[in-house]
Amino acid sequence: MPSHEARMPVSPVGPLAESRTNQKSDFKNSARTTGEVDMEPRVTELETHLKYLRRDMDEVRSDVRTIKHRLAYSAGAMAVVLGLLGWVANSRFDQLVTLMSN
């Protein structure tokens, strides 16, 4: 009985990098149909928009961080002022009562 393996044609397999290069060149050389749109400028535009969005988000984060620090500082200062006013009112309470009663 003859072997079927001997009759099968052997196709040489090129290196992986070479086949990818051939696929890329075939893709670039393939003719586009009339309804197809070139995606490269659109992708570049989206990347640019994404870069600006990231920059703006970084600015917003730093602004929020600054606002949080200012609010914390203001709350601390307000607590100190109210504490001092309370202390003064408590220590001078008898004088306030005599002033109001007269």
Side-chain angles (χ1 to χ4, degrees):
M1 226 163 144
S3 172
H4 292 289
E5 293 178 22
R7 294 183 191 177
M8 292 178 63
V10 178
S11 62
V13 177
L16 184 60
E18 183 179 319
S19 66
R20 286 187 179 179
T21 307
N22 290 339
Q23 287 176 354
K24 287 180 183 178
S25 64
D26 290 344
F27 179 73
K28 288 179 182 177
N29 292 334
S30 64
R32 291 195 176 100
T33 59
T34 57
E36 214 171 303
V37 179
D38 189 18
M39 294 295 287
E40 187 65 29
R42 295 174 69 188
V43 170
T44 304
E45 184 179 354
L46 286 173
E47 288 173 345
T48 304
H49 285 301
L50 184 61
K51 181 176 74 174
Y52 289 133
L53 282 172
R54 285 184 178 167
R55 185 197 64 197
D56 292 344
M57 287 301 296
D58 289 339
E59 289 177 8
V60 168
R61 283 187 188 121
S62 92
D63 291 345
V64 167
R65 197 174 305 125
T66 302
I67 291 169
K68 285 168 71 175
H69 288 259
R70 287 182 182 174
L71 283 174
Y73 180 76
S74 298
M78 186 62 75
V80 169
V81 168
L82 288 176
L84 286 173
L85 286 175
W87 177 71
V88 168
N90 190 27
S91 65
R92 302 292 183 179
F93 185 71
D94 57 338
Q95 289 178 351
L96 289 174
V97 170
T98 54
L99 283 174
M100 293 185 146
S101 63
N102 289 336

